[in-house]
Amino acid sequence: MKRLIAGLIVAGLVGSIAQAGEPWMAASVAALGKEKAVREVLFSNDRSTSLWISVRDDGSRRDGFAEYACLTLVESGMPAGAFTVIRVWDAAAMARGEQRELGRFECSRKG
């Protein structure tokens, strides 16, 4: 099931779920999508508890990028008390039907 979802994300067959959610979610997706290495950005559900970002792999860990993405969520208006797990994936691996996590950050905005 995870491979199917990953394949759909890479193929662009899954619409941007952020549009069904809050305005801050759409703003976050738009801002992160402008980053040079980013291939795809989406919240996996409309509760905003999981954000997936696929990037071109340059051989480095992307935990720092995931933390940067958290700051982008906060700057975009993430509400107090919200929690999102940000996972950064290798886009090329996803295109091959594989899952290779490059980075992760648990993002929360305190009240």
Side-chain angles (χ1 to χ4, degrees), residues 31-83:
L32 291 167
K34 292 178 183 176
E35 295 294 327
K36 185 176 179 180
V38 171
R39 306 301 293 161
E40 181 83 30
V41 180
L42 70 94
F43 285 93
S44 66
N45 58 53
D46 61 2
R47 294 185 320 269
S48 73
T49 57
S50 181
L51 177 66
W52 284 20
I53 305 170
S54 64
V55 299
R56 290 185 208 104
D57 184 14
D58 65 0
S60 66
R61 283 292 300 170
R62 297 297 182 100
D63 298 310
F65 182 77
E67 187 172 359
Y68 161 76
C70 177
L71 294 174
T72 301
L73 298 184
V74 171
E75 289 174 354
S76 296
M78 180 182 193
F83 176 82

Side-chain angles (χ1 to χ4, degrees), residues 12-40:
L13 298 176
V14 175
S16 176
I17 296 174
Q19 292 180 8
E22 300 293 324
W24 69 270
M25 295 168 69
S28 299
V29 168
L32 291 167
K34 292 178 183 176
E35 295 294 327
K36 185 176 179 180
V38 171
R39 306 301 293 161
E40 181 83 30

